[in-house]
Amino acid sequence: MINIPKGTKDVLPEDSYKWRFVEDTAREISRLFCLKEIRTPVFEHTELFNRGVGDTSDVVTKEMYTFLDKGGRSVTLKPEGTAGAARSFIENGMASGVLPVKMYYIIPAFRYERPQAGRLREFHQFGVEIFGAKGADTDAETILLADTFLKKLGLKTKLQINSIGCPACRAAYNKALKEYFAPRLNDLCEDCRTRYEKNPLRLLDCKEERCREINAGAPSILEYLCEDCKAHFTDVCARLTAAGVPYTINPRIVRGLDYYTRTVFEFIADGIGAQGTVCAGGRYDGLIRTLGGGDVPAVGFAAGIERLLIVMEQSGVEIPRNEAVTAYFAGMDDICREKAFELTALLRRNGIASECDHMQRSVKAQFKYADKTGAKFVAVIGGSELEKGAVSVKNMATGETEEVPFEKVAEYFAGK
Ligand code: ATP
Ligand code: MG
């Protein structure tokens, strides 16, 4: 017996409608906001993530699924979607096409993490990227898209936003952070001591209880923003207010990935503890240049589908299940079964979901099966029905029966 790898999950046939609901909603909201889907490979050259995610990030230093392929190249299963989308944007010369380029994706992502509720090694993201627009209105539109999506899923979340400035204001802030943390270094976790050396901003992103307590007293980035970054942030806030999207400003939000500049945000749901962030994103004006493209501003987010589903379940969201079988054709014997098979095929050609027996069951057992699977109607074919050229249809909800001639079957079930 071979078991599923640790940190991965099957989506079973009985549950997949929940996934489809989330994915269909993501596609529908993307259509409303006029985004197009991009599909990039599941693996990329490792170098893309080292550069695009940042080699001081947890994702790159500890979590990547990296291996050598048979040609000796280092490749990595994508741990997130932005780097691949950005690579494709550059490689396909999209910067010289019509801007902004607005795209979305629904992807599996891979991170070697310690599995917990809402934290897996293979997980799935709905991601959005807008390339080429630098204004605060685009940040607000991206956040509005995420907000619309989450509301459409029936979720209540809290939006927290922050600005982490540009490289210019961040330099001064990093200095202030180092001054604050220097006398407290011994109380920090080992990772944070490395972060202190390599990328102090990341100290604020630590999930260890002790570090979080210490972080609470750290200086706020908002006091270090340059005039341009301040104006940008004020503008984002004003637009969110105008759009009726409530938010709180949380100067501790920094995001785990290196390419962010200015706006960062998280949508947080109660109930799964430290895994409460169901959607996170921000602006990353430095990314395209880092990857060898030009100066192209960008903003985006990713929502974790597993976390969304956990929160939806916890808050009792009713997920529509569009899997109803309209008609089940039950055949008495082999000849009747042939007719059942034929009429089932006819209904499907007419776009009506229908099935028939494949287990050589008795009519009684076929009824039981149809009932269990939620068929709305059972159409029985026995010897007398064959003679009359009509099926005897039972409405499973009301118990009423009706006779329907074979040639009228498609017409009868249309719209039912
Ligand atoms: P966290 O702080 O929870 O580790 P992150 O900052 O690493 O999250 P991002 O890289 O911003 O997360 O990914 C965007 C979203 O993807 C997260 O908000 C979350 O919903 C989801 N996500 C990230 N890592 C995982 C994981 N290992 N398992 C399930 N979902 C995840
Ligand atoms: Mg993480």
Side-chain angles (χ1 to χ4, degrees):
M1 173 61 197
I2 300 167
N3 293 321
I4 194 168
K6 194 173 167 192
T8 65
K9 274 197 176 137
D10 296 321
V11 178
L12 301 178
E14 278 310 304
D15 290 327
S16 54
Y17 73 96
K18 299 173 191 167
W19 282 76
R20 233 169 16 252
F21 175 67
V22 174
E23 290 163 4
D24 289 350
T25 304
R27 290 182 193 285
E28 173 59 11
I29 300 301
S30 299
R31 188 187 68 78
L32 287 180
F33 280 75
C34 309
L35 274 60
K36 295 198 175 87
E37 184 179 9
I38 182 166
R39 300 196 184 198
T40 62
V42 164
F43 62 91
E44 297 268 2
H45 294 299
T46 302
E47 182 59 19
L48 175 71
F49 303 113
N50 289 344
R51 277 209 265 161
V53 179
D55 47 22
T56 65
S57 65
D58 280 1
V59 170
V60 168
T61 54
K62 298 192 288 197
E63 299 172 358
M64 291 211 299
Y65 274 89
T66 298
F67 58 96
L68 294 180
D69 70 8
K70 290 191 194 305
R73 297 169 205 91
S74 180
V75 294
T76 295
L77 302 181
K78 58 178 154 194
E80 51 91 60
T82 301
R87 188 231 359 103
S88 180
F89 176 87
I90 299 167
E91 193 165 352
N92 292 290
M94 292 187 218
S96 51
V98 179
L99 293 176
V101 173
K102 308 197 286 181
M103 46 191 171
Y104 77 94
Y105 46 79
I106 297 171
I107 55 162
F110 306 87
R111 296 184 193 179
Y112 195 79
E113 301 211 63
R114 192 166 64 77
Q116 312 157 53
R119 193 175 293 286
L120 292 136
R121 290 183 176 172
E122 183 192 34
F123 63 101
H124 296 78
Q125 289 187 332
F126 162 47
V128 160
E129 319 285 352
I130 301 182
F131 291 105
K134 64 177 191 303
D137 55 326
T138 313
D139 307 38
E141 165 139 317
T142 306
I143 295 171
L144 185 58
L145 193 164
D147 183 69
T148 311
F149 168 65
L150 295 168
K151 286 209 176 99
K152 189 89 188 198
L153 293 182
L155 287 178
K156 288 197 182 67
T157 53
K158 296 204 173 78
L159 168 62
Q160 301 200 341
I161 61 171
N162 188 25
S163 173
I164 54 170
C166 59
C169 29
R170 213 172 314 155
Y173 180 60
N174 275 337
K175 197 161 154 270
L177 274 182
K178 287 190 101 160
E179 277 163 19
Y180 171 80
F181 282 107
R184 298 169 172 87
L185 268 186
N186 288 335
D187 297 328
L188 296 176
C189 71
E190 204 182 308
D191 282 345
C192 278
R193 289 201 286 271
T194 314
R195 291 179 184 126
Y196 175 86
E197 296 302 333
K198 293 196 170 152
N199 191 345
L201 194 66
R202 278 198 202 297
L203 286 160
L204 300 179
D205 203 24
C206 186
K207 294 192 175 59
E208 298 287 332
E209 192 57 40
R210 182 81 191 101
C211 298
R212 291 175 84 104
E213 280 166 23
I214 298 172
N215 290 345
S220 160
I221 175 95
L222 295 174
E223 274 145 43
Y224 291 81
L225 294 183
C226 64
E227 287 310 310
D228 284 353
C229 288
K230 217 183 272 173
H232 185 95
F233 189 51
T234 308
D235 204 0
V236 174
C237 294
R239 283 173 189 272
L240 288 177
T241 304
V245 181
Y247 61 86
T248 49
I249 295 172
N250 178 356
R252 293 287 170 274
I253 289 186
V254 290
R255 307 301 312 125
L257 311 178
D258 269 351
Y259 43 66
Y260 287 97
T261 52
R262 294 190 164 171
T263 314
V264 290
F265 60 89
E266 295 189 357
F267 285 87
I268 301 163
D270 296 332
I272 34 178
Q275 278 71 254
T277 302
V278 290
C279 173
R283 177 166 279 286
Y284 40 92
D285 291 347
L287 177 66
I288 298 288
R289 172 154 295 281
T290 306
L291 294 178
D295 274 320
V296 179
V299 54
F301 70 77
I305 298 181
E306 284 82 357
R307 289 191 195 178
L308 291 171
L309 286 167
I310 292 174
V311 180
M312 286 163 72
E313 184 104 36
Q314 281 176 350
S315 49
V317 171
E318 290 247 353
I319 302 179
R321 191 168 188 160
N322 304 318
E323 293 174 328
V325 179
T326 302
Y328 182 95
F329 288 90
M332 196 83 83
D333 55 22
D334 282 350
I335 298 171
C336 297
R337 266 177 229 280
E338 261 173 52
K339 193 68 197 174
F341 190 87
E342 190 191 300
L343 291 175
T344 304
L346 170 76
L347 281 208
R348 290 169 183 164
R349 280 199 301 280
N350 283 275
I352 301 162
S354 53
E355 59 177 340
C356 58
D357 178 53
H358 290 282
M359 303 297 286
Q360 289 74 47
R361 290 192 173 108
S362 68
V363 165
K364 195 173 159 211
Q366 291 182 55
F367 257 101
K368 225 168 160 183
Y369 172 90
D371 193 38
K372 235 185 227 161
T373 53
K376 293 182 198 160
F377 297 89
V378 176
V380 185
I381 307 163
S384 63
E385 279 84 6
L386 264 192
E387 240 166 63
K388 276 187 271 181
V391 289
S392 153
V393 178
K394 180 171 176 188
N395 182 324
M396 298 295 276
T398 63
E400 282 165 33
T401 56
E402 210 173 331
E403 215 163 73
V404 181
F406 291 160
E407 68 278 5
K408 290 261 167 65
V409 158
E411 194 184 312
Y412 177 81
F413 284 113
K416 283 217 159 106

